[in-house]
Amino acid sequence: MELFKTLIMLLYTLLTIVICFKNVGGESVDGLYFPPKTVTVRITNGLKDLQLNLHCKDAQSDYGFQTLRVGESWSFQFHPDPLWPTSLYFCSFTWLTDTRLHRFDIYSFRRGDRCRECDWLIHESGCCRVFSNGQLKCFDWKSVGDNNYSLGV
């Protein structure tokens, strides 16, 4: 009977934690971070006079091939798992004047991405996160040699 009471208390505690995670939705509570219910990743072509080709996915989802003209944006959404916050989405990028395949982890929980709206500006030199105050944080590409414009991630 004591084991049964212990199991019930454990299940009740776990249920309470799950409900708290689901209801908070991206807010900080006493310094603890809870992931948002929905994350939007927006990618904008910041190349100079060049069309941007991209392909984004994670382990379960593939968003297909996209083509962006200069200044054009494309976005996707996902729901992070609050119990296992390890979300990782990665993209491959190509453009006409560079035959290398450029790769970048566009959303990485381990890197510290904790955004509801994650805006990225793509340049020849790398991928830049655009913050709501207009500041940029830029990252270098992980580039692979000549790929003949293939976007296979």
Side-chain angles (χ1 to χ4, degrees):
M1 190 59 156
E2 194 63 34
L3 179 62
F4 180 73
K5 287 181 181 178
T6 303
L7 286 174
I8 294 297
M9 285 303 295
L10 179 63
L11 287 174
Y12 177 76
T13 303
L14 287 173
L15 182 62
T16 302
I17 290 170
V18 168
I19 290 170
C20 286
F21 270 111
K22 294 290 185 190
N23 288 336
V24 172
E27 303 301 321
S28 177
V29 177
D30 296 330
L32 299 175
Y33 175 79
F34 295 91
K37 293 179 181 179
T38 302
V39 172
T40 301
V41 175
R42 184 174 302 103
I43 299 168
T44 302
N45 180 358
L47 300 174
K48 294 177 182 154
D49 300 321
L50 293 171
Q51 177 176 289
L52 176 67
N53 304 303
L54 63 109
H55 183 203
C56 297
K57 64 184 192 173
D58 77 341
Q60 289 82 34
S61 304
D62 187 334
Y63 294 102
F65 298 96
Q66 309 297 323
T67 300
L68 301 178
R69 294 181 303 249
V70 176
E72 191 174 35
S73 297
W74 171 79
S75 63
F76 66 91
Q77 294 183 324
F78 67 94
H79 304 282
D81 186 340
L83 297 179
W84 301 104
T86 58
S87 298
L88 174 64
Y89 287 80
F90 46 94
C91 300
S92 294
F93 301 90
T94 61
W95 53 89
L96 190 58
T97 61
D98 192 338
T99 59
R100 294 174 296 167
L101 179 69
H102 302 285
R103 294 184 181 191
F104 186 72
D105 294 342
I106 205 76
Y107 183 93
S108 172
F109 185 87
R110 288 190 177 143
R111 181 177 58 220
D113 294 336
R114 306 288 192 278
C115 46
R116 248 183 215 171
E117 300 270 334
C118 305
D119 291 311
W120 292 93
L121 186 60
I122 307 304
H123 293 287
E124 290 90 342
S125 59
C127 204
C128 297
R129 172 89 188 278
V130 181
F131 293 91
S132 58
N133 62 5
Q135 288 186 323
L136 297 177
K137 182 175 182 181
C138 296
F139 299 87
D140 292 332
W141 293 116
K142 297 176 188 172
S143 298
V144 181
D146 192 357
N147 64 357
N148 295 323
Y149 305 108
S150 170
L151 277 181
V153 178

